[in-house]
């Protein structure tokens, strides 16, 4: 079944009080529009048309950033709604720009980030058999105020949609089926009749819900599709709702991970990206954040206070108060507390990075240790190296970044400055507080240190002068 999804992402979102498009605001690190697009793709929609308008360049850019180079890139296209003349006008613009005129068409709001793939898949099926020309996605939220209500006819079809402001007190109390603002249509009938929507209303806009009456007037049936999980129908119109839906998304993700064998010390204090993957028997401590496409293996300890972005972590690692951005961490690695792993860092099996250590664009070899108070940048380090406290690779000369190469089983004395470019051979040693500016051969001691002078009685003489 070929299904097209039209994602409405052209709105201004004035209640967000933002300089950015509403659908660009993120939930757990992912823009809202991408949540909806991902759900549509997972549902099997072979074509996703995103209608952009307000902040169109921004929305196009975030979609390109998310999907260019992926298998789904060819299925997604953006259509510009130059004039925002209502939801009916947006859908008509999409149809005219793309030539869609067949198959089920689901119209989804870009600010509905919690809608699930299974909901979209089944929603589309309601108009695939010919029995119905259209369907309205409905739900029953705990607090229905603010949502349009669905009045059903005797056969269970849609009689009419009543906006909240037009509901009588009795209708507010009795009509609990709410309109989620999403619609499914037979594509051929939608294309044939979309032009019949008029703007004869106070706002002079073309409203997509008018398609319900139009299709019925032509003798076609319109039904409802009720969300089993009311959270699928919740939208974002304010910063408060953004926070509320973020918490719901967090809970959904963490609940799924717990059913897969992950332990959360406090699920309410762990924020996991929907694209992240965590292996069984891993323990997630409070204030842990996984952002982007992170993968974490089995038997790890994450946190507390750990933030990983687009990181790949192996099995049996301990990452305590660790920040890692675009890094690869192999098996049995220990990090922290309070270490910073910058882009391009690669920690091999059993490596250790300790307290107040920063590593950038470097490989730390198997079993090697950078225990505390050090900076390692643009470095290739061999296995079983020990780096003493306060040691630094001086990789930047004011113009270029230069490389440091450290061999296997090297002992770097505390407070060693390694001025790159420099090579330190296997089994070499550097003396504490040395400034290494030349290569150190394998098995050699590199020592740079001024002779210590002792001036007896200096303190008394100094006091006498003051």
């Amino acid at each position: 079944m070929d299904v097209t999804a039209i994602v409405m992402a052209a709105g201004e979102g004035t209640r967000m009080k933002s300089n950015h498009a509403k659908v660009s605001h993120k939930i757990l690190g992912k823009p809202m529009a991408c949540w909806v697009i991902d759900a549509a793709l997972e549902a099997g929609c072979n074509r996703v048309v995103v209608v952009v308008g307000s902040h169109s360049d921004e929305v196009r850019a975030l979609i390109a950033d998310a999907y260019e180079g992926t298998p789904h890139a060819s299925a997604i296209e953006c259509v510009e709604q130059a004039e925002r003349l209502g939801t009916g006008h947006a859908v008509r613009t999409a149809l005219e720009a793309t030539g869609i005129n067949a198959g089920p068409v689901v119209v989804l709001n870009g600010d509905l980030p919690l809608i699930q793939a299974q909901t979209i898949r089944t929603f589309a099926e309601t108009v695939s058999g010919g029995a119905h020309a259209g369907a309205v996605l409905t739900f029953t939220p705990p607090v229905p105020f603010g949502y349009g209500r669905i009045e059903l006819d005797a056969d269970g079809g849609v009689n009419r949609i009543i906006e909240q402001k037009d509901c009588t007190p009795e209708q507010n109390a009795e009509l609990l089926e709410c309109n989620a603002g999403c619609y499914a249509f037979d594509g051929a009938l939608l294309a044939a009749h979309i032009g019949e929507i008029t703007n004869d209303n106070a706002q002079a806009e073309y409203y997509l819900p008018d398609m319900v009456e139009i299709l019925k007037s032509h003798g076609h049936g319109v039904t409802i599709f009720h969300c089993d999980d009311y959270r699928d129908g919740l939208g974002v119109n304010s910063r408060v709702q953004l926070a509320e839906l973020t918490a719901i998304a967090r809970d959904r993700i963490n609940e799924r991970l717990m059913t897969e064998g992950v332990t959360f010390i406090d699920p309410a204090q762990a924020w996991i990206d929907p694209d992240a993957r965590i292996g069984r028997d891993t323990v997630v401590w409070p204030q842990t954040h996984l952002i982007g496409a992170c993968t974490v293996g089995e038997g790890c300890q994450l946190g507390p206070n750990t933030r990983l972005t687009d990181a790949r972590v192996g099995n049996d690692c301990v990452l305590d108060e660790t920040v890692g951005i675009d890094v690869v961490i192999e098996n049995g690695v220990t990090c922290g507390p309070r270490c910073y792993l910058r882009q391009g860092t690669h920690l091999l099996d059993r490596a250790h990075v300790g307290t107040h250590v920063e590593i950038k664009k470097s490989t730390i070899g198997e079993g090697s240790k950078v225990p505390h108070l050090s900076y390692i940048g643009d470095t290739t380090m061999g296995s079983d190296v020990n780096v003493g406290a306060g040691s630094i690779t001086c990789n930047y000369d004011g113009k270029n970044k230069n490389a440091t190469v450290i061999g296997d089983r090297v002992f770097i004395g505390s407070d060693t400055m390694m001025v790159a470019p420099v090579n330190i051979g296997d089994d070499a040693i550097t003396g504490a507080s040395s400034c290494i500016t030349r290569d150190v051969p394998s098995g050699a001691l590199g020592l740079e240190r001024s002779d210590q002078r002792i001036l007896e009685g200096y303190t008394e003489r100094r006091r006498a002068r003051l």
Side-chain angles (χ1 to χ4, degrees):
M1 179 175 66
D2 289 340
V3 179
T4 298
I6 298 176
V7 178
M8 311 285 266
E12 185 73 29
T14 54
R15 281 180 283 176
M16 295 293 289
K17 300 290 193 298
S18 176
N19 296 323
H20 302 280
K22 178 168 71 169
V23 298
S24 71
H25 288 266
K26 295 179 179 180
I27 287 182
L28 298 178
K30 176 185 287 190
M32 280 193 285
C34 293
W35 282 77
V36 181
I37 293 169
D38 284 352
L41 292 169
E42 187 181 343
C45 296
N46 60 309
R47 193 173 189 182
V48 179
V49 180
V50 184
V51 180
V52 299
S54 177
H55 301 87
S56 61
D57 289 345
E58 178 183 38
V59 178
R60 288 178 185 273
L62 71 85
I63 291 173
D65 182 62
Y67 299 103
E68 274 187 3
T70 72
H72 298 301
S74 61
I76 303 167
E77 57 192 301
C78 292
V79 170
E80 183 94 17
Q81 187 188 17
E83 294 182 276
R84 265 81 74 197
L85 302 178
T87 52
H89 177 260
V91 171
R92 188 175 70 194
T93 299
L95 296 180
E96 291 173 350
T98 60
I100 297 166
N101 59 9
V105 175
V106 290
V107 180
L108 308 171
N109 287 332
D111 61 358
L112 221 67
L114 301 184
I115 194 166
Q116 298 179 90
Q118 182 58 46
T119 298
I120 297 173
R121 186 181 300 115
T122 313
F123 186 36
E125 290 171 356
T126 61
V127 296
S128 64
H132 300 101
V136 182
L137 189 69
T138 66
F139 70 124
T140 52
V143 181
F145 183 82
Y147 293 98
R149 309 302 174 83
I150 307 297
E151 184 179 77
L152 302 177
D153 58 27
D155 298 324
V158 178
N159 186 37
R160 59 175 175 154
I161 301 173
I162 309 173
E163 295 303 318
Q164 170 68 50
K165 62 180 182 295
D166 298 324
C167 285
T168 66
E170 292 76 19
Q171 289 170 330
N172 269 324
E174 296 173 4
L175 301 179
L176 301 180
E177 201 77 27
C178 294
N179 180 15
C182 298
Y183 303 88
F185 297 105
D186 176 284
L189 292 173
L190 176 65
H193 298 295
I194 189 74
E196 298 175 31
I197 298 178
T198 70
N199 64 344
D200 186 17
N201 52 64
Q203 286 72 36
E205 291 189 354
Y206 299 87
Y207 292 131
L208 187 62
D210 290 353
M211 280 300 300
V212 172
E213 292 297 329
I214 290 170
L215 290 172
K216 289 176 60 180
S217 71
H218 287 281
H220 302 296
V222 179
T223 188
I224 65 168
F225 178 79
H226 180 81
C227 294
D228 291 333
D229 187 339
Y230 77 89
R231 298 175 296 184
D232 282 26
L234 296 176
V236 174
N237 288 303
S238 67
R239 307 278 183 158
V240 172
Q241 290 175 331
L242 181 68
E244 291 171 348
L245 268 64
T246 296
I248 293 172
R250 174 205 63 204
D251 292 344
R252 274 184 170 179
I253 291 168
N254 294 352
E255 287 169 8
R256 172 181 58 80
L257 288 169
M258 285 187 282
T259 65
E260 295 172 359
V262 179
T263 294
F264 285 81
I265 302 300
D266 184 350
Q269 292 195 66
W271 305 83
I272 311 299
D273 190 286
D275 295 325
R277 299 291 179 265
I278 306 177
R280 62 175 60 188
D281 294 321
T282 286
V283 178
V284 180
W285 288 79
Q287 294 306 314
T288 291
H289 302 249
L290 299 189
I291 303 167
C294 291
T295 60
V296 178
E298 299 184 354
C300 295
Q301 297 275 338
L302 303 181
N305 301 319
T306 286
R307 173 165 54 89
L308 303 178
T309 304
D310 295 323
R312 192 170 83 235
V313 181
N315 300 323
D316 302 311
C317 295
V318 177
L319 308 181
D320 181 8
E321 291 190 69
T322 296
V323 174
I325 302 172
D326 194 15
V327 299
V328 176
I329 299 172
E330 303 289 356
N331 303 305
V333 172
T334 55
C335 294
R338 294 176 295 284
C339 71
Y340 181 23
L341 309 177
R342 293 168 57 188
Q343 188 175 36
T345 294
H346 187 177
L347 307 182
L348 274 60
D349 289 355
R350 304 183 318 283
H352 170 65
V353 178
T355 306
H356 300 299
V357 172
E358 179 178 346
I359 297 182
K360 169 251 176 186
K361 200 177 178 181
S362 296
T363 296
I364 308 300
E366 293 186 10
S368 291
K369 303 174 183 178
V370 189
H372 31 236
L373 301 166
S374 294
Y375 169 73
I376 304 295
D378 297 282
T379 297
T380 301
M381 184 182 298
S383 61
D384 297 313
V385 173
N386 187 86
V387 178
S391 295
I392 294 173
T393 56
C394 307
N395 57 320
Y396 184 50
D397 61 11
K399 183 178 180 181
N400 299 308
K401 299 293 179 67
N402 300 295
T404 298
V405 178
I406 301 173
D408 297 334
R409 299 174 301 281
V410 171
F411 185 91
I412 303 295
S414 295
D415 196 32
T416 294
M417 304 291 108
M418 291 161 276
V419 182
V422 69
N423 296 296
I424 301 175
D426 295 345
D427 301 297
I429 298 173
T430 67
S433 196
S434 292
C435 182
I436 303 299
T437 58
R438 293 180 294 166
D439 291 354
V440 180
S442 296
L445 168 64
L447 181 64
E448 184 277 330
R449 187 182 299 159
S450 299
D451 290 337
Q452 180 173 317
R453 298 175 61 196
I454 305 295
L455 302 179
E456 298 285 354
Y458 174 79
T459 300
E460 289 299 326
R461 293 196 298 273
R462 181 175 180 273
R463 288 174 181 168
R465 292 196 302 266
L466 295 178

